[in-house]
Amino acid sequence: MELIYLNNAATSWPKAPNLSDTMADCIRRVPYHAGRSGFSGPDVAEECRRLLANLFQIREPNQIAFGPNATHALNVALHGLKWKPDANVITTAAEHNSVLRPLHYLAKTRGIKVHMVRVDRAGRIIEEEWEAALRNYRPQLAVFTHASNVTGAVNDAGLLGRMAKQAGAVTLLDASQSFGLFPVCPEQWGIDMVAFTGHKYLLGPTGTGGLYIAPAMEPELEPVWVGGTGIHSDLDEMPPMMPTRFEAGTPNDCAIAGLAEALKWSTENPLNINSLMAKAERLSVGLQELGADVIAVQAPRTPVVSFTLKTWDVEDVGEILQKSFAIVCRTGLHCAPRIHAFLGTAPAGTVRLSLSRFTTDQEIDDCLAAIGEMLHEAG
Amino acid sequence: MKRVESKKVENCFASTQMYEYRLPRKMSEEMICEFGKNGKLTFHRNFPRPFFKLILADGTTVKGILNDTVVKAQYPDQNPQAGKQQFEDLLEELLNRQDTDMEW
């Protein structure tokens, strides 16, 4: 039985071709010191930053600070922000724990006040409620996800970001579920910071991610991690320039080289988003026809389909798909515990199938057949 | 000496008491049916790899696949330790009985 991987919202698989060779080459090569070597050695971080900057449509690649993942990036932003006393923050019920837990921690330790904006039954941020929250709380920070990792609903980040900026808030976007699928344009949208990951729709390795920091944000953000940078070692404090200020310690060169390779491959082989979304739609419609309770999401959306079955526990569905049918998916709350109250899927959560550009029509058919068999079996 | 290796596994819920057990032999249909005498068994033989689920009287849920060496047990929130002990004793007893049958 061939394995069918439908858990790309957690981490993509397969990765971009040649990624593993590139990473292996990187670890075999003599290491060069980024920032010190001039033209004498390859600077994989510089190349990766340039490719990311193209994707972000930003002018200055050095505004991107690398980190091991989006959670790290979100923590750098949330803990690094120079909080005012009694600061208000608005966020949304669609957020991942990578946002919710740092905010909870900051509420406990720094006294920030967190206000949660509701989402609709598709998991999309309700713009009127976002506007009302901005008006009522005048937050120092507005942090929100570009796309729900549970339902795939994509938010209008440009609109929500502009509304928050007009209300005087710093804006932080979690692009973990959208970067690589849809344009993420912080300069155009006026977004101050964007956290991203390399291992989902960018098709890069785990252990890659980072934070875009707008130039105007630099004075508002203190480095959370401080330490060796390999340059300006005579200073007591972190060097002031980007991205070094937010990149203490030795970077993960091999993973960054892998991400650069994935970005190059994606540039040469652009994603056909319409084809991918057609497959997601076919899966969604197919599940509905089988009688599954599918969370209906209008476009724009990511290739994520969440559902429940009346006759099977959520956890059993995942277990059976994986063990009996060799279909890898994800079940439960998906680290986004607040959204389920709005989707009607609390307390158990959903079964989530998430596609990638490599998902085939045959795999969709096989998945539908498997779920059909389960429903038939349950009577 | 215990012949069954166990490992706690987690899911989305902090209160969940779930363990995986690696058995010294594959779960045969006979073993599953024997196991089933201790509770409510559902056995989905038609799946490409048949799946079983057994709910014991105390609420312990046991799941696994035919011809697999791993079974998963989830214990009730109320007194999970008692459920764990009871299930592990049952598992040992079943394996011992299977050994005896094989010797015969």
Side-chain angles (χ1 to χ4, degrees), chain A residues 36 227-241 244:
Chain A
R36 275 189 176 187
T229 50
I231 60 167
H232 298 203
S233 302
D234 55 333
L235 297 178
D236 288 334
E237 297 196 345
M238 290 293 280
M241 77 285 269
T244 315

Side-chain angles (χ1 to χ4, degrees), chain B residues 3 25 30-38 89-104:
Chain B
R3 296 172 300 161
R25 72 170 69 101
E30 186 195 1
M31 280 171 78
I32 292 167
C33 292
E34 192 63 28
F35 228 156
K37 292 175 184 168
N38 297 281
D89 290 346
L90 181 65
L91 195 57
E92 283 292 331
E93 187 194 319
L94 181 70
L95 288 166
N96 286 336
R97 212 182 309 154
Q98 293 282 321
D99 284 348
T100 313
D101 291 349
M102 282 169 76
E103 282 164 20
W104 278 87

Side-chain angles (χ1 to χ4, degrees), chain A residues 253-264:
Chain A
D253 279 340
C254 292
I256 292 170
L259 178 57
E261 176 61 31
L263 290 164
K264 273 190 282 185

Side-chain angles (χ1 to χ4, degrees), chain A residues 145-344:
Chain A
T145 188
H146 193 186
S148 163
N149 71 315
V150 177
T151 69
V154 176
N155 294 302
D156 187 341
L159 175 67
L160 298 172
R162 273 193 298 278
M163 287 160 72
K165 289 305 290 178
Q166 279 166 12
V170 168
T171 49
L172 170 58
L173 180 70
D174 176 2
S176 300
Q177 291 291 326
S178 58
F179 201 35
L181 289 175
F182 295 99
V184 179
C185 314
E187 280 183 358
Q188 196 185 318
W189 296 345
I191 299 280
D192 295 310
M193 295 180 282
V194 180
F196 68 94
T197 181
H199 72 98
K200 296 185 195 279
Y201 297 106
L202 294 181
L203 307 177
T206 51
T208 55
L211 183 67
Y212 161 78
I213 302 166
M217 266 309 293
E218 287 177 50
E220 305 301 318
L221 206 62
E222 292 285 1
V224 175
W225 301 100
V226 297
T229 50
I231 60 167
H232 298 203
S233 302
D234 55 333
L235 297 178
D236 288 334
E237 297 196 345
M238 290 293 280
M241 77 285 269
M242 286 291 293
T244 315
R245 184 169 165 74
F246 297 99
E247 289 185 349
T250 306
N252 187 352
D253 279 340
C254 292
I256 292 170
L259 178 57
E261 176 61 31
L263 290 164
K264 273 190 282 185
W265 184 84
S266 292
T267 307
E268 289 159 11
N269 301 275
L271 167 69
N272 183 342
I273 188 77
N274 292 331
S275 162
L276 176 56
M277 294 321 302
K279 284 176 191 153
E281 187 60 21
R282 196 159 72 77
L283 178 61
S284 179
V285 170
L287 286 168
Q288 286 173 57
E289 286 171 357
L290 288 171
D293 295 316
V294 180
I295 295 169
V297 182
Q298 300 296 312
R301 57 179 294 185
T302 64
V304 165
V305 179
S306 248
F307 68 97
T308 56
L309 301 177
K310 288 181 185 72
T311 45
W312 288 94
D313 291 345
V314 159
E315 201 164 295
D316 284 354
V317 178
E319 190 113 9
I320 292 168
L321 284 178
Q322 178 143 356
K323 291 188 172 167
S324 291
F325 293 90
I327 296 171
V328 181
C329 66
R330 186 74 166 259
T331 60
L333 304 179
H334 315 294
C335 291
R338 300 296 186 102
I339 196 171
H340 295 278
F342 298 90
L343 304 178

